[in-house]
Amino acid sequence: MAPPPDQALVMARDAEQTVGRPNRLAVLLSMAMFVLVVDTSLMNVSISAVVRDLDTTASRVQSAIALEALVSAAFILIGGKVGDLIGRKRAYVLGLLGYAVGAVAMTVSQSLAPIVVCWALIGGIGASLLLPAMQSLIHGNFEGKAQTKVYAMVGAAAAIAAAVGPLIGGFITTFLSWRVGFALEAVIIAVVLSGIGLIRNVEYTGPRHIDLVGAVLSVVGMGGVVLGILVWQEGGDRVLALIGLGVLALAGLAYWLVRRKRADRPALLDPALFGSHLFRAGITGQLLQQITLGGVMIALPIYLQMVLEYNALEAGLSLAPLSLTMFGVALLAGRRAGKRRPAVIIRTGFLLLSLGTAALIPLVPRAGFGWQLLIPLAVAGAGLGLLVSQLNNYTLSPIEEERVSEAAAVNSAGGSFGLSFGLAFAGAIMLATLSLSFTTLADRSTVLDPGEKQEVAHALEHNAEVMTNEHLDTLLASKPPEVHDEIIRINTEARPIALQAALIIPLLAALLGLLNSFRMTRLPDPRPTSDDSNLLG
C-alpha cells in the first residue's frame, strides 16, 4: 500500500537530504571531527602565548588542558545515553554548541577562569555528546559503501587534524594570535551547523531507563583520580582523599554494573563487554597509548616553549616529525597490513613508541634546538601510527553489531581518560621534580645566603612553575647581580631534570603497552570486520 501523500512528501525530502546530497553532509561531519581534534593541538603549541596574554602560569594552562580531556572522558558514557534519550541529532547540535562556547571564550577571555569554565568544562561536555552522536548519525544516515566512505572521511579528518594541528596552530599563533585560531574554530562550527538540515535523526529503540548511580560513579571515579593529580600539581590539600575517592568510585562502578547485570536491570553499560579477552586487551592498549601521548604532548611543548624559548610556530615545526610520521605510517599500515597479525603490528608500535620516548630522555638536557629531537620523535610517531591503524579495530572487532556503539563509547572513554591522566600526571611529576631539584641546587649554592635559600624554598612550596629564563630575569631585576645570575643558573639546570622526570611517565606507559601486546599475541586474531564502526574509536 502506498504511503499517504504527506508521508510520501516527507520521505522524499529525507531522501533528497541524505541521499541526494551525501557528499556535502560527509564534508560537514568531517569538518566537525577536524575541529574536535585540532582544538587541543592548538592549545598545546600556544601555551607560552596564553601564559603571557592572560598573565597566568604554564601549570595552570596545562591543568585546563587536562581538565578538558578529563571532562570529555568522565561524561562520554553518559553523553551516549543522553543522545539516546533526547535524540542523536539534538545531542550532536548541543555538542557542537558546547564546543562553540569554548572557542568563543578562548577568543575573548582576558583571564583563565572563563576558559576553565567555558572551554574545559562546557567544551568537554560538548565533546562527550558529540562523539557518540556522530557515530550513530553516520550509521543511520548512510548505508553500504557510502557509510564506509563517510567513516573513512571522518577518520581521515581526525588523522589530518592530529598531523597538521601543531603546524596550523603554530603559524596562526606566531603571525596572528592564538585567539584567531579559536575564532576560526567557531566559524567552522557555524558552517557545520548551517547544514544541520541535511541530517536525519536516528531514533533510539532500546530501553530508556537511566542508570543514575552508574553515571555518578563513573564521573566521580574518573574525575576524582585526575582531579586529585591536578590539585597535587597546584599545591592543594586533600590530594590523597580525592584520588582515593576516585579509585573507590571506580571499584564501586564495577561492582554496581555486575550487580545490575545479575538482576537483569538497565545499567550504564553492559559489563559483559569485558568478557572478551580481545576487548579487554584492546581497551588496555588504548588507555596506555593515550597516557603516553598525553605525557609527551604536555612535556615537549613546555620544553620547547619554556626551555628553548621557541615561539608557537617553532614549537609546531619541532613537533612535526611526531605528528606527520604518525599520520603517514597510519595510512601506510592501514593499506598494507596484509596478512600480518594485528597483535604483532601493535607490539611493533609499542616497541617503537618505547624506543622513541626513551631516546628523548637523555636528549632533553643536551638538545640546543628542536630538530635535534627529530629521530626519536619520528620513531615514536611511527609507533603511534601503527597503533592508530590497528587498536580501534582490534578492540571493537569481537563486539556484536548491535552493541558496537556502546563498546565504542567505552573505547573513547578509556582513550580520553588515558589522555587526561597522562597530561595531569606527567605535569604533576614535572613540577614536583622541579621543586625538588631547584631546592636541592639552591641548598648546594655557595652564592645564595641562608635567607635567600629559605626564600626560594618558600616560593616553590606555594608555586613551583616552569618558566623561561627571560621571565625569571624580569622577576629578579631587583636582586644583586650575583644572586640574579645564580638563580638563573639553577633554573637552567633544574628545568631539564624536571622534564626528564615527566617523560618517564609516558615511557612507563609505553613499556606497559608493550607488555600488554605480548598478551595480545597469545590470543586468537580478531575476526575480519569492516572499518565502518571503528574509525571514531
Side-chain angles (χ1 to χ4, degrees):
M1 185 174 68
D6 289 346
Q7 183 179 349
L9 183 62
V10 171
M11 292 171 62
R13 185 171 65 247
D14 285 346
E16 177 188 1
Q17 290 177 340
T18 58
V19 179
R21 291 181 284 174
N23 290 337
R24 184 181 171 200
L25 177 55
V27 169
L28 292 174
L29 291 167
S30 300
M31 289 169 65
M33 179 56 76
F34 183 89
V35 168
L36 194 70
V37 175
V38 83
D39 186 72
T40 302
S41 294
L42 180 56
M43 191 65 159
N44 278 332
V45 298
S46 304
I47 286 177
S48 62
V50 175
V51 167
R52 182 177 61 253
D53 289 356
L54 300 184
D55 192 24
T56 184
T57 65
S59 67
R60 287 172 183 164
V61 174
Q62 179 264 322
S63 295
I65 295 172
L67 184 61
E68 193 269 348
L70 165 64
V71 172
S72 173
F75 285 93
I76 199 164
L77 296 177
I78 304 170
K81 190 63 177 178
V82 168
D84 293 342
L85 297 178
I86 69 173
R88 275 71 176 267
K89 182 175 179 178
R90 188 172 297 163
Y92 175 74
V93 171
L94 290 175
L96 286 171
L97 290 175
Y99 248 71
V101 168
V104 171
M106 294 296 289
T107 305
V108 302
S109 293
Q110 300 302 312
S111 67
L112 192 62
I115 289 174
V116 169
V117 173
C118 297
W119 183 76
L121 296 180
I122 297 177
I125 292 174
S128 71
L129 289 169
L130 184 59
L131 277 170
M134 184 182 294
Q135 178 144 342
S136 298
L137 289 173
I138 295 174
H139 198 76
N141 279 265
F142 298 89
E143 295 180 355
K145 291 183 178 179
Q147 186 183 96
T148 302
K149 178 182 176 182
V150 176
Y151 273 114
M153 285 182 63
V154 172
I160 291 170
V164 304
L167 296 174
I168 294 174
F171 181 87
I172 291 174
T173 300
T174 300
F175 294 105
L176 297 171
S177 167
W178 58 274
R179 297 181 187 275
V180 173
F182 289 100
L184 290 174
E185 281 189 17
V187 171
I188 294 174
I189 292 171
V191 172
V192 173
L193 286 171
S194 71
I196 200 65
L198 296 171
I199 297 179
R200 182 182 69 246
N201 189 32
V202 180
E203 295 295 337
Y204 174 68
T205 57
R208 305 186 71 82
H209 302 285
I210 300 176
D211 179 11
L212 289 176
V213 174
V216 170
L217 287 173
S218 70
V219 172
V220 173
M222 289 188 280
V225 172
V226 178
L227 190 61
I229 296 171
L230 293 177
V231 170
W232 172 41
Q233 175 180 299
E234 293 297 325
D237 299 324
R238 305 185 188 279
V239 171
L240 291 179
L242 282 170
I243 295 176
L245 176 64
V247 171
L248 287 175
L250 289 174
L253 175 62
Y255 170 77
W256 174 258
L257 293 176
V258 172
R259 179 182 171 186
R260 298 281 285 188
K261 175 72 173 179
R262 289 174 178 169
D264 196 25
R265 302 187 65 183
L268 181 66
L269 59 95
D270 186 354
L273 285 171
F274 295 92
S276 165
H277 295 294
L278 291 173
F279 185 76
R280 290 202 306 270
I283 285 287
T284 302
Q286 185 81 272
L287 176 74
L288 293 169
Q289 174 209 343
Q290 292 297 319
I291 290 175
T292 305
L293 182 61
V296 169
M297 291 309 293
I298 198 60
L300 289 182
I302 288 179
Y303 168 71
L304 293 167
Q305 295 174 74
M306 299 296 169
V307 176
L308 298 185
E309 302 189 17
Y310 277 7
N311 61 33
L313 179 58
E314 292 168 329
L317 288 171
S318 298
L319 293 172
L322 177 74
S323 56
L324 294 177
T325 305
M326 178 178 69
F327 175 58
V329 170
L331 287 181
L332 189 64
R335 293 175 180 173
R336 302 199 176 183
K339 295 183 179 180
R340 294 177 182 86
R341 295 189 63 197
V344 172
I345 297 176
I346 291 170
R347 184 177 64 188
T348 305
F350 272 116
L351 176 62
L352 292 175
L353 184 56
S354 301
L355 291 173
T357 306
L360 288 171
I361 295 176
L363 280 178
V364 162
R366 297 173 175 84
F369 54 93
W371 280 88
Q372 286 182 286
L373 307 178
L374 186 151
I375 293 177
L377 285 179
V379 171
L384 285 169
L386 292 175
L387 295 175
V388 167
S389 74
Q390 301 295 321
L391 266 177
N392 285 331
N393 192 62
Y394 183 97
T395 304
L396 299 179
S397 60
I399 308 302
E400 298 86 350
E401 179 67 24
E402 62 270 17
R403 299 168 66 196
V404 75
S405 180
E406 182 181 23
V410 175
N411 190 37
S412 295
S416 296
F417 176 72
L419 182 66
S420 64
F421 183 87
L423 287 165
F425 198 36
I429 291 295
M430 178 171 56
L431 292 179
T433 307
L434 178 69
S435 179
L436 178 63
S437 300
F438 213 113
T439 302
T440 301
L441 291 170
D443 285 341
R444 293 175 182 170
S445 173
T446 58
V447 176
L448 302 180
D449 62 38
E452 289 162 340
K453 293 178 182 179
Q454 183 63 32
E455 184 181 349
V456 167
H458 180 75
L460 288 172
E461 182 180 348
H462 290 84
N463 184 30
E465 176 59 36
V466 180
M467 63 178 66
T468 65
N469 280 343
E470 181 181 354
H471 185 194
L472 189 59
D473 186 66
T474 302
L475 295 178
L476 297 173
S478 61
K479 295 289 184 181
E482 63 275 9
V483 173
H484 168 281
D485 293 343
E486 180 68 358
I487 293 180
I488 292 290
R489 180 192 68 80
I490 291 172
N491 188 51
T492 301
E493 292 183 20
R495 290 176 308 176
I497 296 172
L499 289 159
Q500 285 177 304
L503 286 169
I504 291 174
I505 303 306
L507 174 60
L508 289 176
L511 290 172
L512 288 173
L514 180 61
L515 188 64
N516 180 64
S517 69
F518 280 95
R519 180 164 65 106
M520 289 179 170
T521 59
R522 293 195 294 269
L523 297 173
D525 290 335
R527 66 181 184 271
T529 61
S530 63
D531 293 334
D532 61 342
S533 59
N534 302 331
L535 288 170
L536 294 181

